[in-house]
Amino acid sequence: MDMRAAIEALTEEAERQIRDHLAIALASVHGRLAWFLGAAATALAPVLHWRALPDEHGPTFDAVKPTPQQYTDAEDAIRRLHTTLTHITT
């Protein structure tokens, strides 16, 4: 599952819980919001292995240069995550 799909699945779950009137549970630091944030961090973890500089600038510590599509997917995932977190907290 790519980043965008993982974040989409998480946001659908959060939105379903809000529709089912579980917003109070989501607002808690413990429980579903903590799970949501942890799962979002896991989905976005590939970004930690990306590098922006070319190899000739020194060791990359196994970091990889992402493809343009990976950048696009990550940007879309972050936008979706931002929208969902804004919705959850309002």
Side-chain angles (χ1 to χ4, degrees):
M1 182 180 306
D2 67 6
M3 250 184 278
R4 189 179 352 182
I7 294 297
E8 188 63 32
L10 289 172
T11 57
E12 287 172 2
E13 171 69 18
E15 289 169 348
R16 189 178 81 249
Q17 290 180 15
I18 289 170
R19 279 192 309 273
D20 293 343
H21 305 292
L22 298 169
I24 291 172
L26 285 172
S28 173
V29 173
H30 304 287
R32 289 185 175 92
L33 182 58
W35 169 84
F36 178 78
L37 293 174
T42 299
L44 297 173
V47 173
L48 298 174
H49 300 286
W50 293 355
R51 64 178 167 81
L53 298 174
D55 290 350
E56 64 267 8
H57 290 296
T60 62
F61 304 102
D62 294 327
V64 297
K65 189 164 175 93
T67 66
Q69 184 60 48
Q70 287 174 309
Y71 272 129
T72 299
D73 288 347
E75 288 172 355
D76 290 345
I78 292 294
R79 284 187 195 100
R80 183 70 168 117
L81 183 60
H82 179 264
T83 298
T84 301
L85 287 172
T86 300
H87 180 73
I88 288 171
T89 58
T90 57

